[in-house]
């Protein structure tokens, strides 16, 4: 089966049922509870926070492999003769230039340039795309795409209930998956996807992830989620695979310097403010939402550089949290966006936006105001951790 057949390989989609206001549950909910998971409300979903030790789960992904339920993510399908043109208008990236079977990281912005969400867009076929939004913004993205589709020969479809999403991440993940599929994993590049079967389950196999490790995300029919999870668990028994919750996913992405919407990204920031201006493709043909505001933001950033997203590593043991002030010489020079103990570095770390004058790695005299005490921190380049290839 060719990569252009991705769309036809995913026939199970159905409309999303309207929310009742109650917490939503993934197809793996009962399984998580049987494993003793601590559950938490995340963006309206009841999700596993951890199964045991967050540190052990984190370390397993860095050294062996971890298994994640990501079924809370928001899948939106865009189809039709003008699907590419719609996405090029609605998003800041050059989506029409994505080849079938490949994926692209991009953003959807407001007319004023503020970031509504960061996304991954998969091209499933010649005229079919899957937009994957963050769970907290899925409805916002769906509404924006639907509104922006006016005048285009394209359909925007809510497919959040059509998929379960299971990720296997870590250095042992290729071997685990190879034991369950005959798909060409060796030929599957980063940010690419192909149709196949995993343990007999039809799946879209994507080489993507949010941990800083090699790994795969498997989009499957919800009815097959438990079967696939159990097969992956059995295949990983001999190499240290463990189930992992959202808590270690956050520390993994933080070490890898990956932004999280609501922390490093928001409607108050443009991609240029966030240091991600590279995702904005002014050279693509036609207009797109936010083009003029983003041109102005790019010019402002060049003339008067905005605060820079940097890494901070603690000299002590106190953990910084989002919203804490970054200080130098008694003055506030920035703000922490994410912070946590780093299992890999063995020290507390943080990402923060700071004034350009204090953004260079090794800048001295920088601290974080933690409950009135200015704790010393070292400014470092992101990411904190980069896997050996």
């Amino acid at each position: 089966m060719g990569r252009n057949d991705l769309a036809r390989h995913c026939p199970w989609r159905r409309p999303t049922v309207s929310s009742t206001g109650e917490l939503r549950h993934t197809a793996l909910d009962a399984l998580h509870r049987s494993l003793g998971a601590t559950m938490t409300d995340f963006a309206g979903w009841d999700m596993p926070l951890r199964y045991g030790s967050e540190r052990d789960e984190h370390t397993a992904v860095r050294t062996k492999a971890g298994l994640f339920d990501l079924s809370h993510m928001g899948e939106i399908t865009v189809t039709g003769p003008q699907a590419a043109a719609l996405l090029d208008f609605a998003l800041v990236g050059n989506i029409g230039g994505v080849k079938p079977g490949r994926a692209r990281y991009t953003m959807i912005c407001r007319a004023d340039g503020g970031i509504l969400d960061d996304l991954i867009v998969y091209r499933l076929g010649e005229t079919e795309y899957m937009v994957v939004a963050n769970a907290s913004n899925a409805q916002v993205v769906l509404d924006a795409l639907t509104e922006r589709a006016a005048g285009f020969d394209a359909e925007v479809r809510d497919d959040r209930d059509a998929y379960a999403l299971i990720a296997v991440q870590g250095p042992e993940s290729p071997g685990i998956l190879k034991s369950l599929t005959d798909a060409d994993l060796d030929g599957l590049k980063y940010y690419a996807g192909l149709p196949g079967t995993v343990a007999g389950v039809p799946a879209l196999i994507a080489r993507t992830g949010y941990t800083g490790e090699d790994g795969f995300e498997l989009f499957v029919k919800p009815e097959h989620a438990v079967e696939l999870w159990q097969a992956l668990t059995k295949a990983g028994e001999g190499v240290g695979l463990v189930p992992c919750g959202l808590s270690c996913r956050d520390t993994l992405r933080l070490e890898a310097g990956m932004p999280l919407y609501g922390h490093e990204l928001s409607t108050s920031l443009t991609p240029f403010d966030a240091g991600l201006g590279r995702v904005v493709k002014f050279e693509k043909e036609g207009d797109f939402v936010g083009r003029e505001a983003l041109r102005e933001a790019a010019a402002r950033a060049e003339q008067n550089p905005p605060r820079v997203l940097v890494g901070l590593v603690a000299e002590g043991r106190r953990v910084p949290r989002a919203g804490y002030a970054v200080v130098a010489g008694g003055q506030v020079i920035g703000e922490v966006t994410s912070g946590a103990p780093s299992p890999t570095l063995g020290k507390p770390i943080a990402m923060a936006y700071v004034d350009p004058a204090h953004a260079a790695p090794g800048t001295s005299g920088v601290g974080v105001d933690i409950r009135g005490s200015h704790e010393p921190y070292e400014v470092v380049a992101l990411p904190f951790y980069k896997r050996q290839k």
Side-chain angles (χ1 to χ4, degrees):
M1 184 179 294
R3 291 185 178 179
N4 287 9
D5 296 319
L6 279 170
R8 291 189 291 277
H9 196 71
C10 303
W12 53 78
R13 301 171 188 147
R14 61 183 185 274
T16 293
V17 178
S18 61
S19 173
T20 63
E22 298 178 356
L23 281 181
R24 302 181 69 183
H25 298 87
T26 77
L28 293 162
D29 182 72
L31 189 148
H32 297 317
R33 295 174 192 280
S34 74
L35 294 172
T38 298
M39 307 297 287
T40 188
D41 175 359
F42 185 83
W45 290 82
D46 205 14
M47 297 297 295
L49 184 65
R50 69 182 75 83
Y51 297 85
S53 162
E54 296 168 6
R55 178 179 293 272
D56 289 349
E57 291 173 22
H58 180 112
T59 302
V61 176
R62 285 279 179 257
T63 60
K64 297 172 183 176
L67 193 59
F68 297 83
D69 179 9
L70 306 180
S71 301
H72 61 309
M73 300 295 284
E75 295 88 2
I76 302 163
T77 303
V78 180
T79 60
Q82 291 189 301
L86 163 58
L87 290 171
D88 276 338
F89 170 72
L91 311 180
V92 302
N94 180 8
I95 307 304
V98 178
K99 295 180 180 179
R102 298 306 301 268
R104 182 156 296 170
Y105 176 79
T106 188
M107 293 181 181
I108 183 168
C109 290
R110 301 191 306 192
D112 65 2
I115 302 167
L116 284 173
D117 201 14
D118 61 336
L119 313 164
I120 296 179
V121 179
Y122 297 86
R123 188 169 187 176
L124 302 179
E126 287 299 326
T127 60
E128 184 156 5
Y129 297 79
M130 180 169 65
V131 177
V132 181
N134 286 297
S136 57
N137 293 328
Q139 189 64 48
V140 170
V141 174
L142 175 66
D143 291 346
L145 288 175
T146 301
E147 180 182 347
R148 296 174 190 188
F152 289 91
D153 186 4
E155 176 193 356
V156 177
R157 188 171 66 237
D158 182 356
D159 275 346
R160 283 176 287 178
D161 282 353
Y163 294 99
L165 178 56
I166 296 174
V168 56
Q169 300 278 302
E172 297 289 349
S173 59
I176 292 169
L177 204 56
K178 281 180 184 179
S179 72
L180 298 173
T181 184
D182 58 4
D184 180 18
L185 298 186
D186 290 335
L188 186 63
K189 298 178 180 179
Y190 188 49
Y191 266 68
L194 81 167
T197 58
V198 182
V201 171
L204 169 62
I205 305 168
R207 200 162 205 155
T208 47
Y210 194 52
T211 63
E213 297 297 336
D214 191 11
F216 304 87
E217 296 181 321
L218 308 173
F219 296 84
V220 301
K221 189 175 180 179
E223 292 90 316
H224 292 153
V226 171
E227 175 186 355
L228 179 57
W229 180 283
Q230 291 174 337
L232 289 163
T233 298
K234 185 174 181 181
E237 281 179 352
V239 292
L241 176 76
V242 302
C244 294
L246 294 182
S247 183
C248 84
R249 189 169 185 252
D250 188 52
T251 53
L252 289 160
R253 71 91 194 168
L254 175 56
E255 287 184 350
M258 295 178 171
L260 174 64
Y261 195 89
H263 289 253
E264 288 72 42
L265 308 174
S266 71
T267 53
S268 65
L269 298 172
T270 72
F272 295 94
D273 297 323
L276 292 167
R278 63 182 180 276
V279 307
V280 181
K281 303 301 181 184
F282 292 118
E283 67 273 17
K284 65 179 176 177
E285 293 184 8
D287 194 16
F288 63 89
V289 176
R291 178 190 278 273
E292 289 309 311
L294 290 169
R295 279 199 181 281
E296 294 173 6
R300 284 197 307 272
E302 190 169 332
Q303 296 169 6
N304 184 23
R307 282 181 167 177
V308 180
L309 188 64
V310 301
L312 299 174
V313 177
E315 294 182 16
R317 308 305 303 175
R318 299 189 73 182
V319 179
R321 298 299 182 188
Y324 286 11
V326 182
V327 295
Q331 301 294 316
V332 174
I333 56 136
E335 184 175 304
V336 171
T337 54
S338 296
S342 166
T344 303
L345 275 63
K347 300 177 180 179
I349 61 173
M351 286 198 285
Y353 283 110
V354 302
D355 294 342
H358 297 87
T363 300
S364 61
V366 173
V368 175
D369 186 339
I370 301 180
R371 298 183 180 87
S373 174
H374 291 185
E375 301 292 327
Y377 273 74
E378 178 187 1
V379 179
V380 301
L382 293 171
F384 300 97
Y385 166 85
K386 193 170 185 179
R387 71 182 177 93
Q388 300 297 315
K389 297 183 179 180

